[in-house]
Amino acid sequence: MEKERFLKKNEKVSKIYHIIQCVLFFCILLCGCVVGFLMPLRPKVSDLEKRTLTEFPKFSKQGFLDGSYLKDMDTWYADTFPFRDQLLAVNSEIQELYGLRGQQIHGGGNNTGDEIPTGAMTTTASETKEPETTVAESESSSEQTTVAQTVAPQVHGSIYVDGKQAYGIYYFNLDAANLFIDTVNRMANGLKEQATVYAMMIPDNSGVLLSESRQKEIGGSDQRAAIDYYYKSMNGNVVQVPIFDALYEHREEKIFFATDHHWTALGAYYSYQQFAKAKGIKAHELSEYEKMSFPNFIGSYYSSTQANELKNNPETVDAYIPLSTNRMSITEKSGNQLNWPIVNDVSSYQPGNKYSCFIGGDNPYSVIDNPNVSDGSTCLVIKESFGNAFVPFLVDHYQKVIVVDYRYYNENLIQLAKENHVTDVIFANNIEAISGKESMTKLNSMAQ
């Protein structure tokens, strides 16, 4: 009898406890939903991923009827949930705690780029065949570093992390390369009576900083051989700006970031010196510029890998202000025009956004007018984000510098150069950035 009363009492307590659990769960769920719909709390930009988050969808009757509006609403809700970056960071900490993130390096890699031809391009871009690519994770043994290692080196997709330093793994794409080469040649031919076309092929940090044996072990393509193919395939109207060896000579200096895929202003400066040699002008000494420094920078390698070794070792972004002017006009992707500093004070920016101190970041079209030069010289720089740190060094040598980011600009480049009486065209491009066939097809169409 006593036992039955005990069991009934225990069952009753268990039911009450279960009800309380359910109520608490639904209360938490309800609170989460309420917080999720509080518009002031919803982020618009992810500093962690360095991108603009999904905008609230515009309502349309057709979209509501076909279900696309509700689908877009679901995407917006998930992509802009309050405290999104903080939750992602916590998830990364948990993954690292359990060793779930990245792959340790144990042996030869499986990723492969296209075979790099030993000679020049012999076909037009439209005649190349579709490359056969293998998508898999690379693996290798660790590279030497000057810092004591706390975790084994790892590969995260196409990023190799070894202690406090991360490296990009480059894969050569023949189709994309031929499209880029064809673009440069078209520009040189189309402007041969008006302008000089320069090509500056910028390597990734792994091609300069890692030993050849380590590059082979982690996989990827030979960057020196790839750059050689680019240059060999460009016609005689193109002036080559060889920077690989200059960067290699300074590899012990801070010419690339450790937490980000870009080069530093110092790396861009050594490349500017090579451009000055190719053009036949005198480069300014680094000591002539006013220097600005922005500490606490944690870049794209961290946002891609979430590796705590990178997060815990922030860097400093140095920038050098042009001697003649520090003002420019930029046209944003929205079409909005701004008067902006060439080197902007980003001290108050989030850690992942400090590279945007250079020329206002990535914009379709920008113009810099130099009040100290009146010889009619005009330079057109065709670039992606690597060119941002390079442009400030050009300012003092031209009356006007026009900057185009081909990823967001859509007009014809030859026509642009002719209308603005451009005297020099500079292709300042990172070889990894121009290895995508889709983006190179777009760029090629702008030089037809």
Side-chain angles (χ1 to χ4, degrees), residues 200 202 241-243 246-247 250 253-256 263-277 281-290 318-323 355 358 386-394 396-397:
M200 187 172 72
I202 307 170
V241 183
I243 65 171
L247 292 172
H250 294 279
E253 301 173 45
K254 188 68 173 180
I255 57 174
F256 289 97
W263 59 1
T264 65
L266 183 60
Y269 173 76
Y270 290 133
S271 300
Y272 151 70
Q273 287 183 319
Q274 295 305 113
F275 168 75
K277 288 181 182 178
I281 59 176
K282 182 179 179 182
H284 291 298
E285 296 296 326
L286 201 60
S287 59
E288 297 181 58
Y289 299 101
E290 178 186 347
D318 292 327
Y320 299 89
I321 300 175
L323 306 179
Y355 185 78
F358 303 109
F386 261 76
N388 297 2
F390 175 71
V391 168
F393 297 113
L394 300 174
D396 299 313
H397 300 284

Side-chain angles (χ1 to χ4, degrees), residues 129-387:
K129 297 180 179 179
E130 286 291 327
E132 295 181 4
T133 57
T134 301
V135 181
E137 294 291 339
S138 301
E139 298 183 341
S140 169
S141 56
S142 67
E143 164 68 354
Q144 45 80 35
T145 66
T146 57
V147 184
Q149 303 302 308
T150 57
V151 295
Q154 294 182 332
V155 163
H156 305 252
S158 60
I159 300 172
Y160 168 51
V161 180
D162 191 358
K164 299 179 181 179
Q165 174 73 55
Y167 306 87
I169 306 174
Y170 166 69
Y171 299 102
F172 177 76
N173 184 303
L174 182 59
D175 267 0
N178 287 346
L179 283 163
F180 179 82
I181 292 163
D182 187 58
T183 302
V184 175
N185 287 341
R186 284 177 181 272
M187 290 288 290
N189 291 337
L191 299 170
K192 62 182 178 182
E193 304 298 330
Q194 174 186 324
T196 303
V197 174
Y198 297 86
M200 187 172 72
M201 310 304 301
I202 307 170
D204 277 353
N205 63 350
S206 60
V208 176
L209 303 183
L210 290 178
S211 65
E212 290 186 12
S213 60
R214 185 64 69 240
Q215 292 179 54
K216 290 179 180 179
E217 290 174 357
I218 66 173
S221 303
D222 185 330
Q223 294 187 42
R224 190 188 290 271
I227 291 173
D228 186 53
Y229 173 72
Y230 277 103
Y231 284 145
K232 281 182 178 179
S233 302
M234 293 175 185
N235 66 36
N237 295 326
V238 179
V239 178
Q240 301 171 13
V241 183
I243 65 171
F244 191 100
D245 289 339
L247 292 172
Y248 188 79
E249 288 175 6
H250 294 279
R251 64 190 180 280
E252 299 299 327
E253 301 173 45
K254 188 68 173 180
I255 57 174
F256 289 97
F257 291 108
T259 68
D260 188 77
H261 68 285
H262 293 107
W263 59 1
T264 65
L266 183 60
Y269 173 76
Y270 290 133
S271 300
Y272 151 70
Q273 287 183 319
Q274 295 305 113
F275 168 75
K277 288 181 182 178
K279 182 172 171 59
I281 59 176
K282 182 179 179 182
H284 291 298
E285 296 296 326
L286 201 60
S287 59
E288 297 181 58
Y289 299 101
E290 178 186 347
K291 179 181 176 181
M292 297 184 71
S293 297
F294 310 106
N296 196 34
F297 172 56
I298 305 173
S300 59
Y301 284 152
Y302 167 68
S303 63
S304 296
T305 66
Q306 296 290 285
N308 278 332
E309 311 88 77
L310 304 180
K311 178 184 178 181
N312 296 331
N313 290 280
E315 305 175 271
T316 296
V317 179
D318 292 327
Y320 299 89
I321 300 175
L323 306 179
S324 52
T325 181
N326 193 37
R327 305 304 302 181
M328 66 186 299
S329 171
I330 65 176
T331 301
E332 298 180 300
K333 302 176 187 70
S334 64
N336 186 40
Q337 292 187 349
L338 299 172
N339 184 284
W340 201 258
I342 296 170
V343 174
N344 186 37
D345 187 347
V346 295
S347 301
S348 62
Y349 284 29
Q350 292 296 314
N353 294 332
K354 294 185 184 290
Y355 185 78
S356 63
C357 67
F358 303 109
I359 66 170
D362 297 327
N363 297 287
Y365 183 80
S366 304
V367 177
I368 304 168
D369 289 306
N370 184 346
N372 298 338
V373 178
S374 57
D375 59 4
S377 57
T378 301
C379 174
L380 170 62
V381 181
I382 301 169
K383 61 87 185 179
E384 63 283 317
S385 57
F386 261 76

Side-chain angles (χ1 to χ4, degrees), residues 65-116:
L65 293 175
D66 64 20
S68 61
Y69 176 75
L70 294 178
K71 183 177 180 181
D72 291 342
M73 178 74 82
D74 182 62
T75 301
W76 165 81
Y77 184 85
D79 200 40
T80 62
F81 197 84
F83 314 111
R84 179 181 185 280
D85 278 4
Q86 292 87 339
L87 292 172
L88 287 174
V90 170
N91 178 62
S92 174
E93 297 279 354
I94 294 173
Q95 287 189 357
E96 182 158 294
L97 180 64
Y98 286 95
L100 299 176
R101 186 157 38 80
Q103 292 193 10
Q104 290 193 9
I105 314 303
H106 299 295
N110 295 318
N111 278 5
T112 59
D114 293 341
E115 182 178 351
I116 302 172

